[in-house]
Amino acid sequence: HEIQRVRSGYRIVLTYNLLLRGEPTTAVSADVDAATVDGVASCLDEHFTTPIERRWRTTGPPENPPSRLVYLLDHEYTRRGMDWSRLKGGDASRAAVLRAAAGKAGCDVVLALADVHETWSAFEPDHYSWGRGSGRRRWDYDEPEDEDDWFGEDTSFDAGGTSDLDKYTLDELIDSEVTLDSWTEPEGGPARPVSSTVDHGEVCDSTSTGDLVPYAAEYEGYMGNYGNTLDRWYHRGAVVLWPRRLAFRVRAEASPTWAVDELARLLGDGEEVAAREHAASLAPIWEDAVHGTAPEPTFVGTALHAAGTLADADLAAVLVAPFPLSAIEPEHAEPLVRLGDTYGTGWMRDLVDRWSAAAARFGRTADHLAWTASLPRLCDPLAAAGPVGLSIARTMARRSWRALRGTFEQRRSLTPPSRAQEALLDLAAPVLGLLEAAWMTRDTELRDEVTAFLTADAGGTDD
């Protein structure tokens, strides 16, 4: 709670902590009405079989039915306090009904932490005129800035979290975004980190977010052709449900790392049929899920190993194709060679092409340039692994040159020439790395192409 400035007299403050000792062993049971549970179960069946209505477009076929239902609770929780036995107020009874209905409707259910961001058109009634009320003002109730910077001596916050923010009149909800950042399984245990954006057709609540107190807010005044908007951020607990038939896909979308670990576990246990079924379910969502994360070397390595064990070229491509080329590290040489042995060098060339395309669409130029500079470290173990590894290394070097050449041509055309010269100097390390990779892989054709390009007349630009 906020402690306001003392303007006269004295203040005596007692500061203390409330601690809940130990961990809950069982969830608090709540009496639920059987008819209510049946009704909610019927609603769940309807929700998961009704296509989502398009939010902005009015033409075209409807979307597919939603894969989740995210019911927003009224209170916010910490990761440690997010447990079925610690739900507050009406959250406990509503969550108990949803949990019981999930069992009848054949759904899995978890508790989650949701972040909500709303953007409203808003204005100050006393200052709503052309050119007035401009500027940006921000309030953060967790870590408030100096109040006087924004509001002056007479502005105050109260313990409930309201502030001078109340003077703005909300007009229309412009946009709303809900994301999940962790969830807890029904059996309890620590919250598992996830990262998932929730579609508008998957969200419902009993209390509108706009009726709650945000933990932060920011007002953008009238700026000529935009503004008069109020952004508000909230933390809310949530109950998340999905049909059990979609369990692997939903969990994979929220945590790609979990998905590849689970596939590796199934394959290690000899459950190839189940692993292939799960891998096939990833096709509609896997590319977006991977691009929404920063692929770590361990994650990429596990996926490459799993792809080589699937013994299905199409499913293997689904699993590993979304990676950008810059995500491939020297430690991945062994599973790369195994993929080439299993599916052939032609399949590997197509895969490297898809990695290059992913890098162009979703990667950063700086990442790819740094990766190209270090390419010899990857080519060395690949070339030493035999003909298959050598072929993969040559393909990677050639695709890297294709991207580097495009960057080179763009920077050569910069003006003035001094700016182009400075930008080209940043490409020295990638060029050297590429030439060394061509030497390692004995690719004289690539070496000659690179040197010919670099020594050609650049239209007056000094090399």
Side-chain angles (χ1 to χ4, degrees):
H1 295 285
E2 182 185 4
I3 303 299
Q4 298 179 17
R5 179 175 304 166
V6 175
R7 302 190 184 277
S8 63
Y10 302 90
R11 171 185 287 127
I12 298 175
V13 178
L14 173 64
T15 303
Y16 58 92
N17 291 328
L18 291 178
L19 302 178
L20 177 61
R21 299 291 184 184
E23 294 292 338
T25 56
T26 58
V28 174
S29 61
D31 293 332
V32 294
D33 178 69
T36 301
V37 171
D38 290 341
V40 173
S42 177
C43 290
L44 290 175
D45 291 335
E46 181 181 356
H47 174 76
F48 291 121
T49 55
T50 304
I52 297 175
E53 294 184 4
R54 294 177 180 269
R55 189 172 188 179
W56 306 119
R57 291 179 292 169
T58 58
T59 60
E63 301 287 351
N64 294 322
S67 58
R68 297 176 298 187
L69 175 68
V70 179
Y71 174 79
L72 299 176
L73 301 174
D74 290 355
H75 297 85
E76 61 179 277
Y77 300 87
T78 64
R79 286 190 176 183
R80 181 175 173 80
M82 187 174 57
D83 191 279
W84 297 93
S85 67
R86 295 177 180 169
L87 297 179
K88 308 171 186 177
D91 288 350
S93 58
R94 295 169 187 163
V97 171
L98 283 169
R99 188 171 180 178
K104 294 184 74 69
C107 295
D108 287 341
V109 59
V110 296
L111 281 177
L113 295 182
D115 289 324
V116 184
H117 174 204
E118 290 189 344
T119 301
W120 291 78
S121 59
F123 59 89
E124 298 179 73
D126 296 336
H127 299 88
Y128 191 70
S129 61
W130 184 271
R132 298 292 300 276
S134 63
R136 184 183 295 268
R137 303 180 182 180
R138 181 178 177 87
W139 302 266
D140 192 321
Y141 303 131
D142 290 341
E143 297 179 1
E145 301 188 34
D146 187 348
E147 300 156 22
D148 294 340
D149 289 345
W150 298 117
F151 308 118
E153 286 293 327
D154 294 331
T155 298
S156 63
F157 288 67
D158 65 29
T162 59
S163 68
D164 205 43
L165 186 63
D166 292 336
K167 71 182 180 181
Y168 296 101
T169 299
L170 299 181
D171 182 22
E172 181 180 1
L173 180 63
I174 298 174
D175 195 16
S176 177
E177 182 182 42
V178 179
T179 57
L180 305 178
D181 70 9
S182 58
W183 65 36
T184 300
E185 302 291 342
E187 60 271 17
R192 175 184 299 167
V194 299
S195 178
S196 181
T197 300
V198 182
D199 189 274
H200 76 280
E202 298 178 321
V203 184
C204 69
D205 54 39
S206 295
T207 302
S208 173
T209 298
D211 294 335
L212 303 176
V213 177
Y215 71 83
E218 184 175 274
Y219 177 73
E220 181 77 76
Y222 182 70
M223 303 300 290
N225 59 354
Y226 69 94
N228 282 340
T229 56
L230 185 63
D231 288 275
R232 308 201 293 186
W233 291 267
Y234 305 80
H235 292 314
R236 299 186 68 170
V239 178
V240 185
L241 309 95
W242 57 79
R244 292 195 184 103
R245 57 184 171 80
L246 300 178
F248 185 84
R249 193 182 85 176
V250 171
R251 291 177 179 273
E253 187 174 11
S255 178
T257 300
W258 172 88
V260 296
D261 287 343
E262 181 66 8
L263 287 176
R265 184 192 67 79
L266 290 171
L267 292 167
D269 292 343
E271 300 183 42
E272 290 87 357
V273 174
R276 293 189 192 105
E277 290 177 353
H278 289 330
S281 72
L282 296 178
I285 56 91
W286 191 239
E287 185 173 347
D288 289 339
V290 171
H291 292 157
T293 65
E296 297 294 332
T298 302
F299 167 60
V300 175
T302 304
L304 293 173
H305 278 289
T309 311
L310 281 170
D312 186 304
D314 293 336
L315 294 180
V318 167
L319 187 61
V320 298
F323 298 136
L325 194 55
S326 57
I328 308 303
E329 300 284 350
E331 64 195 72
H332 302 142
E334 187 274 330
L336 286 175
V337 173
R338 182 182 178 188
L339 284 172
D341 286 334
T342 303
Y343 303 118
T345 54
W347 185 91
M348 281 301 305
R349 282 194 295 271
D350 292 340
L351 179 62
V352 174
D353 284 340
R354 295 177 70 173
W355 286 343
S356 299
R361 291 197 306 270
F362 303 101
R364 296 191 309 160
T365 300
D367 291 341
H368 189 73
L369 292 178
W371 182 85
T372 305
S374 66
L375 185 57
R377 295 175 51 243
L378 175 58
C379 288
D380 187 25
L382 284 173
V388 172
L390 182 64
S391 174
I392 296 171
R394 285 182 174 180
T395 301
M396 287 187 168
R398 293 189 177 197
R399 299 306 180 267
S400 298
W401 167 238
R402 183 187 300 170
L404 183 59
R405 177 171 179 159
T407 303
F408 215 105
E409 291 172 338
Q410 290 175 356
R411 297 191 180 189
R412 267 184 172 176
S413 63
L414 294 175
T415 55
S418 59
R419 183 185 173 201
Q421 192 72 13
E422 182 179 355
L424 289 172
L425 286 175
D426 292 338
L427 303 183
V431 168
L432 288 175
L434 191 61
L435 287 172
E436 186 176 356
W439 175 79
M440 283 182 169
T441 59
R442 302 183 294 280
D443 193 341
T444 56
E445 182 179 343
L446 175 61
R447 178 202 63 192
D448 294 344
E449 182 180 343
V450 174
T451 54
F453 176 83
L454 295 176
T455 55
D457 182 10
T461 301
D462 295 333
D463 290 333

